[in-house]
């Protein structure tokens, strides 16, 4: 009989994980792991890390609090044992973490699909090393093709041309298909939807329009600033007709739409207007080694203490399994204007 390490919160110890498919209280399996490798970012996107909050006084995590690459790789191996099939590195901005390709090289042999989400600012320089280390694909966030709008949204005066160049470099290195994430905020960049679709039609890259979400507690989210995905699809379809396409796999976040004229596809991520909690298979590992079972969580489960106290792989596996088995969250299904005001962890910390 394996020993169970009690969970720090003082709840009763969970049963030892006996193997097989891991399911939570709603029958959802754990297939994806998002790893936040840093809570820092060189952008100050207005909807994510507003400059008024994340200013020079903001206390980012000290180095000692952050999981090392060795610690991340060890945990990732345990997650893969537990059924994770896809790992996404994120943050903060993952490419501001020094030598990230070293971590990629440590994760690649685990055999899970390995991807990265980035703002693209440092990608052109690192794409080759990341690909050589075993990264399979990248998702690049890009909110506008209009330079002034883009600079205003990233609030770091970063030019759009450099991100476009990074997308080309990533594609040339084989980090394909490149996915492009566009957060749509009404009155800020929604005038760019059709232009964005036009830019990526027929390119082999896939643009996904994301509904602006009430993540964290600092972005001042309002429902009237959300552009529903249905409207995005309607606007694009009025120019180039779209038809729904089948999901690539169960639990896929984006709904896929195919151009009738064969110019590829676009995706929409409708976390606000069409919650997909019931098919959510994602676990998140924060920069300092806490587990979160929901992007909108208010607290996590500390794994780092266990790790640094010398726990065995079995003990850590049991702890992760227990967290997942107890999972009941479905925030996006119960979101109201009131819940949006609740104090939630910031996306830059938990990993987007
Ligand atoms: N720095 C990287 C990047 O820019 O892609 C990775 C982290 S970022 C938090 C991950 C994704 O979350 C980005 O595509 C970003 O646009 C999206 N995001 C951040 N805040 C959001 C919000 N309030 N609503 C919707 N998407 C958001």
């Amino acid at each position: 009989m394996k020993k169970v390490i009690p969970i720090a919160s003082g709840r009763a110890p969970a049963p030892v994980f006996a193997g097989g498919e891991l399911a939570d209280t709603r029958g959802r399996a754990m297939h994806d792991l998002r790893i936040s490798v840093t809570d820092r970012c060189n952008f100050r996107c207005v909807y994510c890390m507003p400059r008024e909050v994340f200013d020079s006084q903001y206390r980012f995590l000290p180095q000692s609090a952050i999981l090392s690459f060795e610690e991340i790789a060890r945990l990732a191996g345990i997650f893969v044992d537990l059924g994770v099939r896809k790992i996404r590195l994120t943050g903060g901005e993952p490419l501001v973490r020094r030598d990230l390709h070293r971590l990629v090289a440590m994760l690649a042999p685990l055999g899970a699909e390995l991807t990265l989400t980035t703002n693209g600012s440092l990608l052109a320089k690192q794409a080759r090393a990341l690909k050589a280390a075993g990264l399979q694909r990248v998702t690049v966030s890009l909110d506008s093709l209009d330079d002034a709008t883009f600079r205003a949204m990233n609030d770091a005066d970063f030019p759009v041309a450099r991100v476009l160049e990074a997308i080309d470099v990533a594609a040339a290195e084989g980090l394909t298909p490149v996915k492009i994430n566009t957060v749509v905020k009404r009155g800020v960049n929604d005038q760019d939807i059709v232009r964005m679709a036009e830019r990526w039609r027929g390119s082999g890259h896939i643009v996904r329009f994301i509904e602006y979400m009430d993540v964290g507690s600092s972005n001042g989210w309002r429902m009237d600033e959300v552009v529903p995905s249905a409207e995005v699809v309607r606007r694009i379809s009025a120019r180039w007709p779209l038809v729904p396409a089948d999901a690539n796999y169960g639990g896929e976040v984006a709904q896929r739409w195919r151009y009738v004229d064969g110019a590829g596809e676009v995706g929409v991520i409708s976390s606000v207007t069409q919650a997909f909690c019931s098919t959510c298979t994602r676990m998140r590992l924060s920069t300092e080694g806490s587990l979160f079972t929901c992007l909108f969580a208010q607290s996590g489960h500390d794994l780092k203490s266990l790790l640094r106290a010398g726990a065995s792989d079995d003990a850590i596996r049991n702890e992760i399994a227990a967290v997942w088995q107890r999972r009941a969250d479905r925030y996006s299904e119960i979101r109201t204007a009131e819940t949006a005001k609740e104090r939630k962890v910031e996306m830059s910390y938990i990993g987007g």
Side-chain angles (χ1 to χ4, degrees):
M1 182 76 168
K2 291 170 192 163
K3 191 167 178 289
V4 181
I5 305 251
I7 295 169
S9 64
R11 280 173 298 195
V16 171
F17 176 61
E21 176 91 335
L22 190 60
D24 71 4
T25 62
R26 297 177 183 276
R28 298 169 293 193
M30 183 176 74
H31 283 156
D32 308 71
L33 176 65
R34 299 207 172 176
I35 303 176
S36 174
V37 296
T38 177
D39 59 338
R40 291 166 199 258
C41 187
N42 54 346
F43 281 14
R44 286 291 175 272
C45 297
V46 289
Y47 51 76
C48 186
M49 293 181 78
R51 199 170 275 287
E52 314 81 79
V53 177
F54 296 88
D55 59 10
S56 57
Q57 306 302 311
Y58 187 84
R59 290 161 69 113
F60 289 99
L61 293 169
Q63 193 65 31
S64 59
I66 292 176
L67 293 187
S68 67
F69 287 168
E70 288 70 21
E71 288 172 326
I72 293 174
R74 180 175 170 209
L75 291 179
I78 297 173
F79 275 105
V80 170
D81 280 353
L82 281 167
V84 161
R85 295 288 165 260
K86 185 169 169 187
I87 296 176
R88 176 175 297 281
L89 300 178
T90 178
E93 170 48 43
L95 298 184
V96 303
R97 179 122 183 215
R98 192 177 305 155
D99 295 335
L100 193 74
H101 62 92
R102 278 212 309 114
L103 176 63
V104 170
M106 291 160 85
L107 298 179
L110 297 176
E113 192 183 335
L114 190 54
T115 65
L116 169 97
T117 303
T118 173
N119 62 28
S121 60
L122 303 168
L123 180 60
K125 275 199 196 112
Q126 299 188 36
R128 178 159 297 177
L130 290 166
K131 176 69 184 176
L135 190 71
Q136 290 164 347
R137 288 191 295 100
V138 285
T139 297
V140 179
S141 302
L142 176 63
D143 296 327
S144 180
L145 292 168
D146 175 71
D147 195 52
T149 308
F150 182 63
R151 286 179 196 251
M153 286 185 85
N154 66 53
D155 203 13
D157 206 27
F158 199 86
V160 71
R162 300 256 309 271
V163 180
L164 294 173
E165 180 203 331
I167 291 171
D168 288 346
V169 173
E173 293 297 342
L175 292 165
T176 49
V178 177
K179 292 189 180 162
I180 293 145
N181 275 0
T182 301
V183 177
V184 186
K185 208 174 162 187
R186 193 176 297 283
V188 178
N189 64 336
D190 63 316
Q191 74 285 355
D192 237 28
I193 291 170
V194 172
R195 196 172 157 205
M196 208 36 135
E198 180 170 36
R199 175 70 176 77
W200 306 112
R201 267 170 54 81
S203 68
H205 307 331
I206 302 167
V207 61
R208 291 122 45 99
F209 297 92
I210 306 178
E211 288 179 349
Y212 169 46
M213 296 184 287
D214 53 326
V215 291
S217 310
S218 60
N219 69 3
W221 182 86
R222 291 204 329 255
M223 186 66 201
D224 60 3
E225 292 174 326
V226 177
V227 178
S229 293
E231 181 179 331
V232 171
V233 171
R234 218 170 29 243
R235 287 208 217 172
I236 299 172
S237 219
R239 181 83 176 271
W240 303 283
L242 289 166
V243 286
D246 290 339
N248 286 314
Y249 52 89
E252 189 171 27
V253 176
Q255 289 168 318
R256 301 171 58 211
W257 290 81
R258 211 165 31 75
Y259 290 108
V260 172
D261 66 6
E265 63 179 86
V266 297
V268 289
I269 300 180
S270 324
S271 165
V272 177
T273 60
Q274 279 176 275
F276 40 82
C277 304
S278 64
T279 56
C280 176
T281 54
R282 280 171 293 289
M283 179 72 108
R284 292 182 143 84
L285 178 65
S286 79
T287 313
E288 59 176 343
S290 285
L291 287 179
F292 289 84
T293 54
C294 178
L295 180 55
F296 302 93
Q298 299 184 357
S299 61
H301 309 260
D302 175 26
L303 261 197
K304 183 177 63 186
S305 302
L306 202 60
L307 195 67
R308 294 194 178 170
S312 66
D313 281 9
D314 278 349
I316 295 171
R317 188 176 301 112
N318 284 334
E319 179 75 1
I320 296 170
V323 168
W324 190 265
Q325 283 166 329
R326 288 195 186 117
R327 175 187 192 228
D329 38 44
R330 53 186 193 100
Y331 177 84
S332 293
E333 289 178 353
I334 56 171
R335 172 188 288 108
T336 62
E338 286 313 301
T339 62
K341 288 185 207 137
E342 286 168 0
R343 193 141 198 94
K344 308 179 221 81
V345 288
E346 294 299 332
M347 198 169 183
S348 48
Y349 165 82
I350 200 177

